[in-house]
Amino acid sequence: MDKNHQSCRIILASASPRRRDLLKQIGLSFDILVSDCEEVLTTTVPEEACRSLAEQKAEAVAAALTREAVEKEASGRDTSAPCLIIGADTVVACEGRLLGKPRHKEDAAAMLRLLSGRTHQVSTGVCVIRLPEGTRTSFAESTDVTVVPLTEEDIAAYLETGEPYDKAGAYGIQGWFARYVAGIRGDYNNVVGLPVGRLYRECLRDQLSSLPSS
Amino acid sequence: MDKNHQSCRIILASASPRRRDLLKQIGLSFDILVSDCEEVLTTTVPEEACRSLAEQKAEAVAAALTREAVEKEASGRDTSAPCLIIGADTVVACEGRLLGKPRHKEDAAAMLRLLSGRTHQVSTGVCVIRLPEGTRTSFAESTDVTVVPLTEEDIAAYLETGEPYDKAGAYGIQGWFARYVAGIRGDYNNVVGLPVGRLYRECLRDQLSSLPSS
């Protein structure tokens, strides 16, 4: 695995275990650093909303790291090592409505009834900030997901699994809900929470010395 | 989880850890039983080939279980409990060529060069046999997968991960190769190795008493 060595520090600005697993899946080493700042929704256009939230998450962590670097520099320590901070946010849109995480059981049931028998869009915004320069790259990726018609029994059974409550749109495609997904069009990992393929190719690949010059 | 209790025994006739994980993902309990009989490829049409191989796998396990039941019955034990045997096989087709598991490194590299920058088809055949009746249900599901152009360096780095060698088409979409997948059209889990959604809805749901009559 020597040829796949990475020289640049990567920081994931997200507490989501699913995003962590996806970055691990493509063989990257990284740290997790989450800011406790509250993100603000400034638009209801799905691609703009998730991209803005991703930027806010990455920026909060970048600001904290920059403050820390200034303090270290004042004490004479070297802080010039480059680092890439990844922020991400996922939203679900169906029939013109933006679905976040359900607040309670009835909210989750209402979301699942809306998704039943329809094709909806899952959008993940990604923002990568390179320090110390502060260069920012961001994009939003959307995937269509088609759900089969759900009966009230299906919904009741799914609510009992406990899966819906920490997920935008009240479902996790990578869990039990796979029973009810007819198919997707686009990037599956984007639905899980992080489009690692595009993230890698457009934001990380050139930054990481993944291969020695040959 | 009481309401999601299953009353019927399920047997997965496949040694694939990925198929095992997918069945677990949708909340099913099952046993694994693999026959050592050699399957025979009788056609090169992808959907027919994988469906036939899936049938051969399920039938070999069904035959073994039926023999066992006959022996138990002869000794006076009850063998009337129903059971569902699931066989599955996945093939990759690209530019009219059927790709199995690579035999060695150069074979894997050639497959990856063929997939580079193209959309190919992944087909999984599924066969479910219900015992003691012997009723057989089977289908083949296909998903389009688009791979970005790969450099020789990408291919060399991917071969080093060791992922390609036990997988049809020399890649695993659920692993490091996600770096290079632009998107799919259809069922993601079908590419991983088992279309659990369709399997559940068309072959298992009505057979399992997943919810008590209310």
Side-chain angles (χ1 to χ4, degrees), chain A:
Chain A
M1 295 280 288
D2 278 345
K3 283 176 84 183
N4 295 316
H5 177 71
Q6 90 189 34
S7 66
C8 180
R9 187 185 180 202
I10 293 176
I11 294 168
L12 176 62
S14 167
S16 155
R18 297 171 288 280
R19 295 201 177 105
R20 181 197 62 206
D21 290 347
L22 283 167
L23 273 189
K24 272 190 201 160
Q25 179 188 313
I26 63 162
L28 298 179
S29 304
F30 56 95
D31 298 313
I32 294 171
L33 212 58
V34 184
S35 149
D36 54 2
C37 108
E38 194 74 22
E39 295 96 34
V40 184
L41 195 65
T42 54
T43 164
T44 56
V45 178
E47 288 84 357
E48 288 172 20
C50 64
R51 188 189 333 217
S52 163
L53 293 168
E55 287 170 354
Q56 292 175 49
K57 287 180 186 177
E59 276 160 9
V61 169
L65 284 174
T66 304
R67 277 194 304 275
E68 198 183 286
V70 168
E71 285 160 18
K72 280 187 181 167
E73 210 167 271
S75 68
R77 279 176 288 176
D78 180 29
T79 57
S80 58
C83 116
L84 297 168
I85 300 158
I86 303 170
D89 191 85
T90 301
V91 298
V92 172
C94 186
E95 302 281 307
R97 287 184 52 195
L98 206 61
L99 308 181
K101 294 175 186 174
R103 287 155 302 170
H104 46 67
K105 193 170 174 178
E106 248 328 292
D107 198 21
M111 288 184 185
L112 294 168
R113 279 183 210 114
L114 181 67
L115 301 179
S116 168
R118 293 193 172 95
T119 297
H120 63 274
Q121 287 70 45
V122 179
S123 301
T124 297
V126 174
C127 175
V128 177
I129 298 177
R130 185 186 168 94
L131 293 183
E133 302 88 344
T135 319
R136 193 171 89 173
T137 316
S138 67
F139 65 82
E141 174 81 10
S142 290
T143 305
D144 290 339
V145 179
T146 303
V147 175
V148 299
L150 303 173
T151 64
E152 283 298 314
E153 283 187 338
D154 291 334
I155 292 172
Y158 187 54
L159 291 174
E160 278 196 42
T161 66
E163 273 187 14
Y165 299 105
D166 64 334
K167 297 180 184 75
Y171 77 91
I173 196 169
Q174 73 290 352
W176 165 300
F177 200 75
R179 289 181 173 200
Y180 308 123
V181 175
I184 73 165
R185 192 168 176 174
D187 182 3
Y188 175 84
N189 296 324
N190 187 50
V191 184
V192 178
L194 195 64
V196 280
R198 187 167 169 193
L199 166 65
Y200 173 74
R201 297 188 303 271
E202 296 185 13
C203 306
L204 303 180
R205 180 179 215 154
D206 293 342
Q207 309 276 354
L208 304 169
S209 315
S210 67
L211 289 170
S213 52
S214 55

